[in-house]
Amino acid sequence: MQSLEYKTELALVKARNVDITNFEGDLDTFKTALAMNYDLASRKFKKAIDETGKSVDHLQKTQDALLGTDRNLRLANNKAQDVAIKKLTRRNPTMAAKFDELSDQESSDSE
């Protein structure tokens, strides 16, 4: 009878050990899966941060290029405002004569 009790108790202890072993195995499986998911999420997060930085750099370069274009357009506009017949014909006697001729004709026509 006592032997049967020991066997029953031994079976219960073995069942508990199996339960503990299964629990530990399940816990290790969970930890491994969680670590893999964390690693994947961490890499994707880092990549997203890097891409955001690249986008900011690209936008800064685009802004700099636009500002440079604005400066060049302003300078071109200033140069266009400074254009005058005298400046254009100063070193070109042929064109100066043509403009003088036109000017003389306009004066004659208005009289």
Side-chain angles (χ1 to χ4, degrees):
M1 194 69 159
Q2 233 180 3
S3 174
L4 187 58
E5 282 181 28
Y6 287 133
K7 286 182 182 180
T8 305
E9 194 173 317
L10 182 61
L12 285 173
V13 169
K14 283 183 180 180
R16 284 186 200 138
N17 284 341
V18 168
D19 284 348
I20 290 171
T21 302
N22 287 341
F23 177 79
E24 287 173 344
D26 290 346
L27 183 60
D28 286 341
T29 301
F30 173 76
K31 285 179 180 180
T32 302
L34 183 64
M36 286 179 9
N37 285 94
Y38 174 81
D39 184 54
L40 180 63
S42 179
R43 280 185 278 138
K44 287 190 176 213
F45 182 80
K46 184 179 180 332
K47 184 178 179 181
I49 293 295
D50 291 343
E51 291 299 319
T52 302
K54 288 177 187 177
S55 294
V56 168
D57 289 343
H58 180 72
L59 288 172
Q60 184 62 49
K61 287 177 185 176
T62 302
Q63 182 183 24
D64 292 344
L66 289 171
L67 290 172
T69 300
D70 180 55
R71 281 190 299 272
N72 286 325
L73 287 171
R74 186 175 29 82
L75 290 171
N77 185 49
N78 290 344
K79 288 177 183 178
Q81 296 299 319
D82 287 342
V83 171
I85 299 296
K86 284 186 178 182
K87 282 186 178 181
L88 292 175
T89 59
R90 181 176 34 199
R91 286 185 241 149
N92 191 333
T94 305
M95 290 305 293
K98 292 288 183 184
F99 279 110
D100 286 343
E101 188 178 305
L102 281 173
S103 179
D104 290 344
Q105 278 182 351
E106 287 177 3
S107 296
S108 306
D109 290 342
S110 56
E111 289 176 6

